[in-house]
Amino acid sequence: MDLAGAERTWKSDGFVILPGFLPAAELTSAVQELNLLFPSADEFHDGTDPRRERFLGDEFAGIDTFPFASTEISLLAVHHRILALAAALLEDDDVHLYGAEAWAKYTGACDYDQDLHRDYLNHTVLVPSTTPGCQQVEMFVFLNDVPDDLGPPHLVSREHTADLPAVPNWLLRPGQGGAGRFVAQADPELYAAEVSGAGPAGTVIAFEPGTFHRGTQLTAPRGARYSMHLGFRPSSLQWGHRVGWAVKSYTSEWVDFVGRATPRQLQALGFPPPGHRYWTPETLAGMALRYPNLDLSPWSPTLSRPAG
């Protein structure tokens, strides 16, 4: 992993495209469980999966949220390479996963072609910052090959957008209509400056919530695209958020994930690290009841010195 090179590109452009960043062999177990979330391409296009109707007419209807029905896909969201990339780009080893979605798209299901926009409106209560320690990073993770005819995201370098104000947020193509203070017509040169994020399975596209980008149409016959959309922030950055994990933490999917995750993966979801003063005989006893399959030895005070 050339994390230093990725960091330089992310800082200069506002995004970095890393083809095949997750090796194919490390995707296999997650990809094999995609059927727990979504129809296959053939099942969708042949109409043999009753879940098909869900995906029709709404580009966001194909989203499942973490924790997923597949524990393997949940674990992939905090894969060690993903966490290392987030830590390098945010310049902080203690990163928090503040949003995770798995997303299926199918050719012909609906119109996936978007206008250029930034994501910050639903990723932070403030506005994006380029100050170290005050940044967030989003990632698209491809679970199958995504060539140009399977709707890869397009992104625009900060080189072309650095002087644009925080509002408006959506920049429409000529001829597109829209209303409200967050919507305006784009300079056509912005669309001409787009970069395609097409890449093989395992590709990771890391970008800032302040980076202009858009989804594109799927045109491949009988096509399907499977991906994840992740959001990370430094754990100390309190103004960037999308969901709260506690509301999901009593589900069987969450308990299954916790039972198989590493301490570092769980720290990315808000668990205090080993050595933190939270870990006492009282809390360890309670955690043993809440998560019967979790090996608590890494957090045991008898095995790690209290912090501070």
Side-chain angles (χ1 to χ4, degrees):
M1 295 187 290
D2 180 15
L3 296 181
E7 182 181 358
R8 287 192 297 272
T9 301
W10 186 70
K11 284 183 174 180
S12 63
D13 292 340
F15 67 89
V16 60
I17 300 169
L18 302 170
F21 183 75
L22 296 178
E26 298 181 34
L27 289 175
T28 301
S29 56
V31 171
Q32 288 176 341
E33 293 190 353
L34 276 170
N35 65 304
L36 297 178
L37 281 68
F38 308 122
S40 68
D42 286 343
E43 288 169 338
F44 176 85
H45 292 290
D46 292 338
T48 58
D49 191 308
R51 297 174 292 182
R52 180 181 189 274
E53 298 302 312
R54 159 190 163 186
F55 302 90
L56 302 178
D58 181 352
E59 65 174 311
F60 302 112
I63 293 176
D64 278 9
T65 57
F66 184 96
F68 308 116
S70 162
T71 302
E72 292 290 346
I73 296 176
S74 292
L75 290 168
L76 190 66
V78 283
H79 187 280
H80 70 93
R81 285 176 174 262
I82 295 288
L83 293 180
L85 177 61
L89 299 183
L90 297 175
E91 301 180 64
D92 194 321
D93 288 334
D94 188 8
V95 295
H96 185 81
L97 179 72
Y98 69 80
E101 302 167 339
W103 200 346
K105 297 183 177 183
Y106 301 93
T107 303
C110 63
D111 184 1
Y112 295 110
D113 205 33
Q114 298 176 334
D115 290 296
L116 284 172
H117 63 279
R118 295 170 286 201
D119 282 352
Y120 82 86
L121 288 180
N122 59 5
H123 282 253
T124 176
V125 296
L126 304 180
V127 297
S129 171
T130 57
T131 301
C134 297
Q135 295 176 286
Q136 298 163 236
V137 61
E138 299 180 66
M139 299 183 193
F140 290 127
V141 181
F142 294 166
L143 301 181
N144 65 324
D145 294 344
V146 182
D148 283 315
D149 60 0
L150 280 182
H154 286 188
L155 306 99
V156 180
S157 169
R158 184 186 289 122
E159 173 188 355
H160 305 283
T161 63
D163 295 331
L164 295 178
V167 176
N169 187 65
W170 282 274
L171 298 181
L172 309 184
R173 286 164 288 189
Q176 297 292 318
R181 67 188 183 94
F182 289 106
V183 179
Q185 294 292 319
D187 183 332
E189 292 184 0
L190 282 183
Y191 281 85
E194 288 180 342
V195 174
S196 170
T203 292
V204 174
I205 302 171
F207 63 106
E208 297 176 341
T211 296
F212 277 97
H213 66 287
R214 68 184 185 93
T216 63
Q217 196 68 278
L218 278 73
T219 59
R222 297 175 62 85
R225 193 199 93 176
Y226 304 101
S227 63
M228 284 196 296
H229 179 201
L230 311 175
F232 291 93
R233 60 171 175 81
S235 64
S236 60
L237 190 152
Q238 296 303 310
W239 54 85
H241 45 78
R242 191 165 168 86
V243 297
W245 298 125
V247 72
K248 303 279 191 77
S249 66
Y250 58 86
T251 63
S252 60
E253 292 85 359
W254 176 274
V255 174
D256 291 343
F257 163 76
V258 168
R260 292 183 54 193
T262 66
R264 188 183 184 200
Q265 289 175 315
L266 292 173
Q267 187 174 334
L269 275 297
F271 277 48
H276 192 279
R277 62 181 176 272
Y278 171 84
W279 299 110
T280 65
E282 176 189 17
T283 57
L284 287 165
M287 290 288 282
L289 294 174
R290 182 167 186 174
Y291 301 112
N293 295 324
L294 177 61
D295 176 11
L296 288 164
S297 60
W299 295 277
S300 172
T302 62
L303 299 177
S304 56
R305 291 178 3 200

